[in-house]
Amino acid sequence: MNDLNPAGWRPEMGPRQHPAHETAAVHTATGNRGLQLEEPLIFEIGAPGGCGVDFDAVEGGPADALAPFVRKAPLALPGLSEPETVRHYTRLSRQNYAIDLGPFPLGSCTMKHNPRLDEKVARMAGFADVHPLQPVHTVQGALKVIHELAQWLCTLTGMPGVAMTPKAGAHGELCGLLCIRAALEARGDAREVVLVPESAHGTNPATAAFAGYRVESIPATADGRVDRAALEARLGSDVAAVMITNPNTCGLFERELKAIADAVHAVGAFVYCDGANFNAIVGRVRPGDLGVDAMHINLHKTFSTPHGGGGPGSGPVVLSEALVPYGPLPFIAVEADGELRLIEEEDAPRDHPGAFGRMSAFHGQMGMFTRALAYILSHGADGLRQVSGDAVLNANYLLRSLEDVLDAPFGASGPCMHEALFSDDGFAAGFSTIDLAKGLIDEGFHPMTVYFPLVVHGAMLVEPTETESKAGLDQLGMAIRSLAERARAGDEALKHAPMLAPRRRLDETLAARKPVLRWREPA
Ligand SMILES: *Cc1c(COP(=O)(O)O)cnc(C)c1O
């Protein structure tokens, strides 16, 4: 963590009056507000027939055989010139918030600064231009990147094997459960149930259900951890696996995971650990030492790679001794002469008879692998350890500096891990988490994760990550503090936030229930 503050703001300067407060009522003919530009839909600005390039007129008509395929009505394309198109998308992009503009305090997402070095490495032609169908002897360098990254992931987690092909956290969960199912079926022991704590990320029960299991929920204790007694009481010969997030979604370390894992193994079941929160413990805790059988690692959270907007992601799954024989194809093997080889279906009967199949067409997300390995190598083992230390320190700094104005439901459970959990308990009647979150937009910040985890009413989950400076945390903390005070005092204006954003508060329920996904010609 460093104390450089690019914005030049210091806590002792107090809140700055943004001129927009005074100019909110200024009328402009265009709707633009200085550099904040209004932008219509592309279909509203294009003229039919407009085009970015000039085509020669076609001589004569089409051949008879092609006639049935000739378009009867003009194609409803927007029709813009190249500069108009570029401006349209650039204007839209400026209405977006980005990690390069400010912090993204989204709990559970680990939205950190991505070093430019990693981007540079991923764009090197030798990595960026390889094709997954190239002969293996021509891509030995790319395979070496995957193999070396795999070894780092095994070392960091204390696990003997890793499936590199899953393309996101949730995809990794599916991979892990399919390995577990293959292992159970191999011993003729089909089971039906997967136990999931109620604090779990939504993808956990969804994955278990998708894999064909019946999901049963395990309650949390008052201190925000999984109820070990309730979990152990439910264990039995019908349970295939327990899915536990550690650190969990309340931002707390599951201290009893080892004992839980022993109890799970005693009934012949497996432990799936959701490793999306690995950022809090990387370099300090090896999940393999805690009895975990399978855990996905979100490379796009812990190990660099810009994420958000749906991807790309990468979710390698580390596997225990018991599950390695069932991992998916393809994977990389080292030949006696040092050449790297891809083990595919044709090799599987001899080299990997337990393989349940494949998770994706090819080797996985190559661009994510190069970024992750560049990130790991540039930090080194000691740097990765510092990442988790700084991430946890930053979250605790926010937790302790805000708990006098915001309810911290598990503040008494000890230090948090990499995210601080608050609730709207104590807000004036009629005010809730959404008001504070929308107010943060006016303050120039992306809101935190809201209403998750579900075990806390009106939850606000703040994950600052290790890449925010103390000055940056103070600025975010000051904004949250000011909004919490307004919500406690019942400041009606807060109910109308955001006032200064390109769009006001939207009806999210209506947008979800009746989405308008297609532009229609105005009648
Ligand atoms: C992000 C996340 C996931 C899902 O990962 P994706 O890459 O988005 O599929 C699962 N569990 C937790 C706790 C997460 O934070």
Side-chain angles (χ1 to χ4, degrees):
M1 195 166 74
N2 65 61
D3 275 335
L4 283 181
N5 177 19
W9 179 87
R10 293 278 174 279
E12 57 274 19
M13 296 175 186
R16 277 181 301 190
Q17 263 312 316
H18 193 281
H21 282 302
E22 285 109 54
T23 58
V26 171
H27 171 81
T28 60
T30 51
N32 296 336
R33 303 174 60 77
L35 293 178
Q36 186 172 297
L37 305 172
E38 263 306 306
E39 188 62 14
L41 298 178
I42 196 165
F43 294 96
E44 293 166 345
I45 48 179
C51 191
V53 284
D54 291 329
F55 292 110
D56 287 337
V58 181
E59 296 287 331
D64 284 352
L66 290 179
F69 301 107
V70 173
R71 200 177 299 285
K72 304 283 183 300
L75 199 57
L77 290 175
L80 284 100
S81 68
E82 179 172 317
E84 284 170 330
T85 310
V86 170
R87 282 186 185 154
H88 172 71
Y89 287 109
T90 304
R91 285 164 181 249
L92 283 183
S93 76
R94 288 168 44 128
Q95 298 191 2
N96 244 341
Y97 193 80
I99 195 72
D100 291 339
L101 286 175
F104 249 93
L106 278 175
S108 213
C109 293
T110 310
M111 302 284 285
K112 57 167 98 172
H113 167 73
N114 294 288
R116 289 300 180 270
L117 173 68
D118 308 351
E119 291 302 311
K120 191 170 175 183
V121 171
R123 283 167 171 72
M124 288 166 69
F127 296 129
D129 294 349
V130 290
H131 192 280
L133 290 178
Q134 255 173 265
V136 161
H137 73 270
T138 67
V139 290
Q140 285 288 306
L143 295 187
K144 188 150 188 275
V145 165
I146 304 176
H147 186 63
E148 201 170 325
L149 175 63
Q151 287 176 313
W152 268 96
L153 298 180
C154 288
T155 303
L156 287 168
T157 55
M159 303 281 274
V162 57
M164 296 298 286
T165 55
K167 295 194 169 180
H171 204 210
E173 292 169 26
L174 182 63
C175 175
L177 285 196
L178 292 179
C179 290
I180 289 170
R181 193 167 72 187
L184 286 168
E185 282 173 359
R187 66 177 197 222
D189 187 11
R191 298 183 173 209
E192 293 159 25
V193 177
V194 168
L195 303 181
V196 181
E198 61 183 4
S199 64
H201 193 266
T203 51
N204 294 188
T207 299
F210 188 75
Y213 289 105
R214 199 169 74 239
V215 179
E216 286 187 28
S217 184
I218 300 295
T221 57
D223 78 345
R225 296 186 169 89
V226 61
D227 187 335
R228 180 177 153 201
L231 188 146
E232 290 185 7
R234 178 56 191 86
L235 287 175
S237 60
D238 59 338
V239 174
V242 173
M243 293 181 94
I244 293 190
T245 308
N246 202 17
N248 71 21
T249 54
C250 296
L252 301 172
F253 189 73
E254 293 286 359
R255 291 183 294 224
E256 298 190 307
L257 184 54
K258 180 74 179 80
I260 290 173
D262 289 344
V264 171
H265 291 149
V267 298
F270 291 92
V271 177
Y272 187 93
C273 182
D274 180 331
N277 295 335
F278 196 47
N279 207 57
I281 56 173
V282 62
R284 288 163 200 272
V285 177
R286 301 192 313 164
D289 298 337
L290 304 178
V292 167
D293 290 296
M295 181 182 95
H296 72 263
I297 299 168
N298 301 59
L299 293 186
H300 50 290
K301 293 180 182 173
T302 310
F303 297 109
S304 185
T305 285
H307 76 292
S314 182
V317 181
V318 288
L319 299 170
S320 65
E321 211 71 66
L323 292 183
V324 164
Y326 305 99
L329 299 164
F331 64 92
I332 294 167
V334 189
E335 298 285 288
D337 61 359
E339 280 268 306
L340 298 176
R341 193 161 68 93
L342 264 191
I343 305 293
E344 308 255 19
E345 272 81 353
E346 54 273 23
D347 314 299
R350 191 194 54 192
D351 290 336
H352 198 51
F356 68 77
R358 40 174 73 214
M359 291 303 295
S360 61
F362 301 115
H363 320 44
Q365 300 278 41
M366 192 62 209
M368 269 72 280
F369 296 155
T370 37
R371 285 178 179 88
L373 185 61
Y375 183 84
I376 287 173
L377 292 178
S378 59
H379 279 73
D382 57 336
L384 293 177
R385 200 179 146 77
Q386 192 185 341
V387 161
S388 53
D390 288 349
V392 170
L393 180 65
N394 279 358
N396 278 282
Y397 182 70
L398 277 181
L399 177 69
R400 297 308 171 202
S401 55
L402 288 170
E403 64 184 349
D404 62 321
V405 282
L406 273 183
D407 172 57
F410 304 122
S413 302
C416 63
M417 296 302 291
H418 60 314
E419 44 199 6
L421 179 59
F422 301 102
S423 90
D424 60 7
D425 198 17
F427 286 8
F431 286 79
S432 68
T433 290
I434 193 76
D435 303 310
L436 188 148
K438 296 296 184 192
L440 262 184
I441 298 174
D442 278 344
E443 298 288 351
F445 290 102
H446 193 286
M448 67 280 278
T449 292
V450 293
Y451 301 105
F452 176 82
L454 303 178
V455 282
V456 168
H457 185 80
M460 286 169 251
L461 192 59
V462 186
E463 180 179 357
T465 82
E466 71 281 3
T467 57
E468 296 308 318
S469 66
K470 178 171 179 299
L473 294 178
D474 283 334
Q475 201 167 9
L476 173 64
M478 181 197 71
I480 296 177
R481 164 174 297 277
S482 139
L483 292 163
E485 283 166 351
R486 289 172 64 194
R488 296 177 87 88
D491 176 355
E492 276 300 319
L494 189 56
K495 295 217 72 89
H496 302 287
M499 304 282 286
L500 305 171
R503 290 294 174 272
R504 302 290 295 278
R505 199 181 292 202
L506 305 177
D507 185 335
E508 288 164 5
T509 311
L510 191 67
R513 296 277 154 77
K514 294 190 178 167
V516 181
L517 302 176
R518 182 185 290 265
W519 181 79
R520 275 187 222 92
E521 196 101 39

